[in-house]
């Protein structure tokens, strides 16, 4: 995601009225909107490999296996994300988070006051982070549980143009494993409304992908996606693999922009 967004930010740069984002993509989107996408690239390049983000040692320190809280501190520290610039921007950022009280996705407008809490919440993966993050009193977890591809709220705005940046190649579908959702419910025993979303996540994701591909076929949505599966997964710790993934994101965005160039010249 960060690689693709960095390419879109290259001069003259694309402009957006709204950006809907979820999970780690929300952080990259926030850096893009703040005019700091190079910092996002530096974080994914230099601050997420080895034991920095993912390590069993984090458990000994009372943190999650994936130290999302520590990553958010990076966003607030030396490679700081300018939350005030995100709020002032003409581009409105809405971050998808899964509401533990309802099991549905909330698409919360990012402000200077809530941005870092929202980023922690939307990246709060079950098990490897396993925490519930409260934003203005509402308990949330990973936005990808209930809405990995926020198509509906974007379409509701009736945009003239809708561009989706996908991390998966065309035709990808999640494998359905209902037992995983059943296992995850024990992580969230206090939030029974969340259980169906955990159980049905693969089916919901696959329905969203099918809708996306249908809209793309109708010319209502444009999609930037890699030509092949990205080498990095959420649990990748190998810096070389992370760099390759960023490069493939850039490559996908360049291919998209090259297809756009003739049309832009004709206009």
């Amino acid at each position: 995601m960060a690689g693709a967004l960095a390419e879109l930010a290259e001069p003259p740069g694309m402009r957006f009225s709204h950006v809907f984002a979820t999970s780690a993509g929300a952080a990259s989107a926030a850096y893009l909107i703040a005019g700091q996408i190079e910092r996002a690239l530096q974080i994914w390049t230099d601050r997420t490999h080895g034991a920095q983000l993912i390590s069993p040692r984090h458990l000994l320190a009372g943190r999650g296996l994936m130290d999302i809280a520590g990553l958010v501190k990076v966003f607030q520290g030396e490679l700081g994300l300018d939350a005030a610039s995100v709020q002032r921007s003409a581009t409105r950022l809405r971050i998808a988070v899964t509401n533990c009280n309802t099991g549905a996705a909330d698409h919360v407008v990012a402000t200077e006051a809530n941005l870092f809490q929202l980023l922690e919440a939307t990246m709060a993966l079950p098990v490897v982070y396993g925490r519930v993050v409260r934003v203005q009193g509402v308990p949330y977890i990973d936005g990808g549980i209930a809405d990995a591809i926020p198509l509906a709220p974007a379409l509701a705005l009736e945009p003239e143009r809708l561009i989706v940046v996908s991390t998966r190649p065309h035709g990808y579908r999640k494998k359905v494993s209902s037992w995983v959702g059943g296992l995850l419910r024990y992580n969230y025993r206090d939030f029974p409304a969340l259980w169906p979303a955990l159980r049905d996540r693969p089916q919901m994701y696959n329905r969203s992908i099918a809708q996306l591909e249908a809209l793309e076929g109708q010319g209502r949505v444009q999609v930037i996606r890699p030509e092949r599966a990205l080498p990095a997964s959420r649990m990748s710790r190998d810096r070389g693999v992370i760099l390759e993934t960023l490069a493939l994101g850039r490559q996908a965005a360049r291919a998209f922009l090259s297809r756009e160039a003739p049309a832009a010249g004709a206009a």
Side-chain angles (χ1 to χ4, degrees):
M1 173 72 81
L5 294 184
E7 205 66 33
L8 296 182
E10 289 290 322
M14 298 190 75
R15 298 290 180 265
F16 305 94
S17 60
H18 292 78
V19 172
F20 292 83
T22 188
S23 297
S28 297
Y31 274 100
L32 173 72
I33 291 169
Q36 299 174 302
I37 190 62
E38 291 304 320
R39 289 191 176 188
L41 290 175
Q42 188 175 348
I43 289 169
W44 304 133
T45 298
D46 297 331
R47 303 301 294 270
T48 60
H49 66 279
Q52 295 180 95
L53 179 60
I54 303 166
S55 174
R57 289 183 294 178
H58 295 157
L59 299 173
L60 299 176
R63 304 193 296 268
L65 177 67
M66 183 181 288
D67 186 14
I68 298 300
L71 181 60
V72 172
K73 287 181 180 178
V74 175
F75 299 159
Q76 296 173 295
E78 65 200 79
L79 294 171
L81 169 60
D82 188 344
S85 290
V86 173
Q87 179 168 309
R88 287 195 305 265
S89 174
T91 302
R92 176 162 291 184
L93 173 62
R94 293 181 181 269
I95 296 178
V97 279
T98 300
N99 189 318
C100 296
N101 290 331
T102 66
D106 290 347
H107 302 91
V108 184
V109 175
T111 67
E112 184 176 0
N114 68 15
L115 177 59
F116 296 108
Q117 286 178 307
L118 279 174
L119 291 177
E120 182 181 359
T122 196
M123 294 189 291
L125 293 164
V127 183
V128 293
Y129 191 54
R131 297 183 183 180
V132 170
V133 180
R134 292 186 179 270
V135 181
Q136 297 170 317
V138 182
Y140 290 117
I141 62 169
D142 174 24
I145 297 296
D147 199 1
I149 307 172
L151 275 174
L155 290 168
L157 297 176
E158 299 183 350
E160 293 183 9
R161 186 182 191 191
L162 179 56
I163 299 172
V164 174
V165 180
S166 174
T167 59
R168 303 292 189 178
H170 189 275
Y172 173 84
R173 296 294 187 276
K174 281 189 181 294
K175 294 181 179 179
V176 177
S177 301
S178 298
W179 66 270
V180 174
L183 183 63
L184 291 177
R185 65 187 287 176
Y186 292 103
N187 238 169
Y188 305 99
R189 291 185 293 273
D190 295 335
F191 301 101
L194 189 58
W195 298 347
L198 293 168
R199 180 194 65 211
D200 298 335
R201 183 188 181 194
Q203 296 93 323
M204 293 166 62
Y205 178 89
N206 291 342
R207 283 196 295 270
S208 294
I209 286 290
Q211 181 189 16
L212 175 63
E213 291 177 354
L215 291 169
E216 184 182 17
Q218 296 164 14
R220 295 177 58 192
V221 171
Q222 295 173 287
V223 184
I224 300 172
R225 59 165 66 88
E227 291 187 356
R228 59 181 175 87
L230 296 177
S233 69
R234 286 175 171 172
M235 300 302 291
S236 294
R237 304 199 302 169
D238 185 294
R239 188 171 186 267
V241 168
I242 294 169
L243 290 174
E244 184 182 354
T245 297
L246 291 170
L248 286 172
R250 280 190 175 274
Q251 179 182 318
R254 282 197 298 268
F256 170 80
L257 292 171
S258 69
R259 295 191 298 269
E260 293 289 291

